[in-house]
Amino acid sequence: MTEHPVLAALAPRLALVPSLDATQLEAEETAVLGRKNGALSALLKQLASLPEEERRPVGQAANHLKAQFEVAFAERRGVLAQAATDAERGRVDLSMPGRGRWIGALHPVTQVMDEILGIFRELGFVRVVGPEAETEWHNFTALNFPFDHPAMDLHDTFYVDTGDRRNTEHDRRRGRSSGLFPAQERRSVADRRSPDVGEVLLRTHTSPVQVRTLLQHQPPIRAVMPGMVYRKDPFDQSHAPAFLQLEGLVVDEGVSFVDLKATLTHFARRFFSPRTSVRFRPSYFPFTEPSAEMDVECQLCGGTGCGACKGTGWMEILGCGMVHPHVLRNCEVDPERFTGFAFGMGPQRMAMQRYGITDIRLLYSGDTRFLSQFTG
Ligand code: PHE
């Protein structure tokens, strides 16, 4: 038999019931099952007027559909009622807009570090890493620090207690102050030149990676060495006890101070801007001779003088110099044949200079109100 047109029209509307809101549900219930004007109710009332042979099948089909609608309406009413109570209890507010997705981003210092490494990669430098827990020999001795250099002092350097109570340089110094060891007990130069004897410490700079690189590779060497370094500094606006450095080392035949100046000037102009002025000031490091510090035009005032550059118009960005012949010799490189230059910079300070950040602690805070300004 062919389906009654009223049933054919109503059947598809059954599937739509679960998507109706409360007002629509009420209207639909009235339209389908309403006692006065509901389409199904009307059909059932009119059964008697149908031709004899249609009455039964149409009646059955209409009653079946009516039962299905009743179940669907009841279920939908239940769901909506539950949602309304949940919303009232504050658990789910169906009208609330969705939360924006939080997308992570690289830390501003990581971005700066990547950029610096990228500039040196263009120049043919390879990236090298070394250990953060270093020997006294790699961190100081091989780098030509004099035996009693103040940087080695307990006040500045974190020494690691290895439980090995050998008579090391550091023990000896401690002992001398407490009278435990006779003042004349001095370790021989040969002892001091042994990488395996002596204290273990947290490296105070990335320069020991120069030593490790020179010991492991024949020149020509062109390397950058990023990493964390540690000093017993207070944690204040401009100091942190753990901070980043980036070391550079170039060793080959015929490398001169001209190469140093050209490389570092190029770097500063790539990193800051093509017309940034730079200047080199004489300085001192035990492991370079001659030594210098490089300043760039203050990025905040453009060189006219402001609070950030203390009115000088310049900002110091790195230390550098020609690798000291003693360092080359300590690393078994012939200083008669090879020369080189080295430099060390602080990527965190460079990030601060670039973005005008005046408190280094912000870089360690993980505060998203600060960090979200650098998600670019
Ligand atoms: N190691 C020096 C420092 O920590 C920086 C430096 C590196 C200077 C290489 C010269 C050459 O201050």
Side-chain angles (χ1 to χ4, degrees), residues 204-207 210 231 245 247-248 285 287-288 319-321 342-344:
T204 57
H205 52 176
T206 42
S207 302
Q210 286 188 38
R231 289 182 198 172
Q245 279 198 342
E247 192 86 7
F285 302 101
F287 38 92
T288 49
C320 57
F343 54 90

Side-chain angles (χ1 to χ4, degrees), residues 153-264:
D153 205 285
L154 274 171
H155 296 299
D156 300 320
T157 304
F158 288 109
Y159 285 89
V160 177
D161 187 357
T162 55
D164 180 358
R165 298 286 89 215
R166 279 176 305 182
N167 183 18
T168 61
E169 288 180 48
H170 176 234
D171 277 341
R172 191 191 51 68
R173 259 180 289 122
R174 272 193 301 207
R176 188 166 49 189
S177 56
S178 64
L180 276 174
F181 296 102
Q184 70 272 26
E185 186 180 277
R186 290 195 140 254
R187 291 173 62 216
S188 69
V189 172
D191 270 351
R192 292 189 58 215
R193 292 192 55 178
S194 161
D196 310 319
V197 180
E199 289 283 300
V200 174
L201 44 77
L202 297 184
R203 66 182 180 194
T204 57
H205 52 176
T206 42
S207 302
V209 192
Q210 286 188 38
V211 175
R212 292 183 175 274
T213 307
L214 286 167
L215 284 169
Q216 269 165 34
H217 302 281
Q218 285 297 311
I221 289 170
R222 231 184 279 160
V224 275
M225 310 150 212
M228 217 50 160
V229 304
Y230 302 87
R231 289 182 198 172
K232 278 196 183 168
D233 280 334
F235 198 21
D236 63 23
Q237 190 174 336
S238 46
H239 299 86
F243 58 98
L244 279 171
Q245 279 198 342
L246 182 98
E247 192 86 7
L249 177 68
V250 173
V251 178
D252 200 352
E253 288 180 15
V255 175
S256 76
F257 204 84
V258 173
D259 300 298
L260 176 156
K261 283 183 78 173
T263 305
L264 296 177

Side-chain angles (χ1 to χ4, degrees), residues 107 234-241 352 357-367 370:
H107 192 278
F235 198 21
D236 63 23
Q237 190 174 336
S238 46
H239 299 86
M352 291 170 71
I357 299 164
T358 52
D359 191 327
I360 196 172
R361 288 170 294 195
L362 281 169
L363 302 178
Y364 296 77
S365 68
D367 187 334
F370 167 72

